[in-house]
Amino acid sequence: PQNLVNSQTINLPEDVDEVFPEEVRDYFKNVATGGMQNSGFQIAYKKVIPPASKSIFTNPYFVSFCKLQSINELIGRFIKTPAPIINILPTLNATASSFLKENFFNLPESVVIVDIGAISTHALILYHGNFTLAANFPIGGEYLTEHLSKALRCSFEEAEELKKTNNYLTGQRVNAIFQGAVRHWLKDLINWFMELARATASIRGIEYSEDAFYTEMRSKTMIYLCGGTSLTPGFIDYLCEKSGIK
């Protein structure tokens, strides 16, 4: 279930024997889930070949983990489906792969790709061209449309069309309710970044500082938006104004 999966690139140490899958799996589980081996996590991993010129890894694996209960619930939903389930591809991974193909040699040190879906937002952090961390939070474009619908006292469908053609964030038709919904989305996104930074600092055994986090985000990180909501008039300008991030 891609809405419930977290992924990151992890370097497998030389002293972990790749001949024994359980040893590798236990190492990834311990690192990726912060030592929560008894919390019912399912781990999936695949060895990747790092780009030679920019890789910070010597033996990288792309590791995804999810609570086993979530997987069982998803299987339960599909168990009576008559159509065959052939393959599942998280859209964010495909987006990131396409982005790297086009931009690899012009990448800043840190890149965040944010895919704003209808009901949730997915974000993936790339560091020196490597998939580093990925997760999501349950606010998407429909949340913004619902607030605009209430503000304009119109139907959801009408608000969706108006959102695409009018600037309710920075233009002459500024709407405070719609601005508030976007700020709520932005706050959740920033909080997600901060949680990742805090978790990464804990794993690496280094000190975490919110001031250092904001400094790095504003000076070294470039955020790229995709998904239909990213084309909302005034959306990017408003986000830059409120966050100070490019």
Side-chain angles (χ1 to χ4, degrees), residues 96-156:
S97 297
S98 176
F99 174 84
L100 283 174
K101 183 178 179 181
E102 296 296 325
N103 300 282
F104 180 74
F105 293 104
N106 298 308
L107 286 177
E109 182 178 280
S110 298
V111 171
V112 180
I113 299 175
V114 179
D115 183 7
I116 312 171
I119 60 174
S120 60
T121 296
H122 306 268
L124 173 69
I125 295 178
L126 302 173
Y127 184 69
H128 287 291
N130 293 277
F131 288 27
T132 306
L133 292 165
N136 76 96
F137 58 93
I139 295 182
E142 288 187 0
Y143 171 85
L144 304 180
T145 303
E146 287 171 359
H147 279 72
L148 185 61
S149 172
K150 293 176 182 178
L152 301 180
R153 297 182 180 181
C154 62
S155 69
F156 180 91

Side-chain angles (χ1 to χ4, degrees), residues 165-204:
T165 56
N166 295 279
N167 187 346
Y168 294 108
L169 293 168
T170 61
Q172 295 181 346
R173 298 185 178 182
V174 165
N175 185 281
I177 295 177
F178 189 57
Q179 285 181 326
V182 172
R183 287 198 303 273
H184 185 186
W185 176 87
L186 177 62
K187 181 180 178 181
D188 276 13
L189 181 66
I190 296 298
N191 286 342
W192 179 80
F193 290 152
M194 292 177 67
E195 285 301 314
L196 287 184
R198 186 179 289 110
T200 302
S202 176
I203 290 172
R204 294 176 179 173

Side-chain angles (χ1 to χ4, degrees), residues 10-61:
I10 297 176
N11 199 51
L12 187 68
E14 294 180 1
D15 59 353
V16 178
D17 196 337
E18 296 179 63
V19 176
F20 299 99
E22 284 303 315
E23 186 175 344
V24 175
R25 189 177 298 274
D26 287 345
Y27 176 81
F28 288 146
K29 183 178 289 188
N30 184 59
V31 173
T33 63
M36 296 184 289
Q37 298 97 324
N38 299 319
S39 298
F41 282 93
Q42 183 69 28
I43 300 285
Y45 61 87
K46 181 178 182 180
K47 188 169 185 176
V48 295
I49 301 175
S53 61
K54 291 192 176 184
S55 178
I56 59 172
F57 298 101
T58 57
N59 191 25
Y61 280 74

Side-chain angles (χ1 to χ4, degrees), residues 155-166:
S155 69
F156 180 91
E157 291 73 20
E158 290 172 327
E160 184 66 27
E161 291 303 314
L162 290 169
K163 186 179 75 173
K164 296 176 183 178
T165 56
N166 295 279

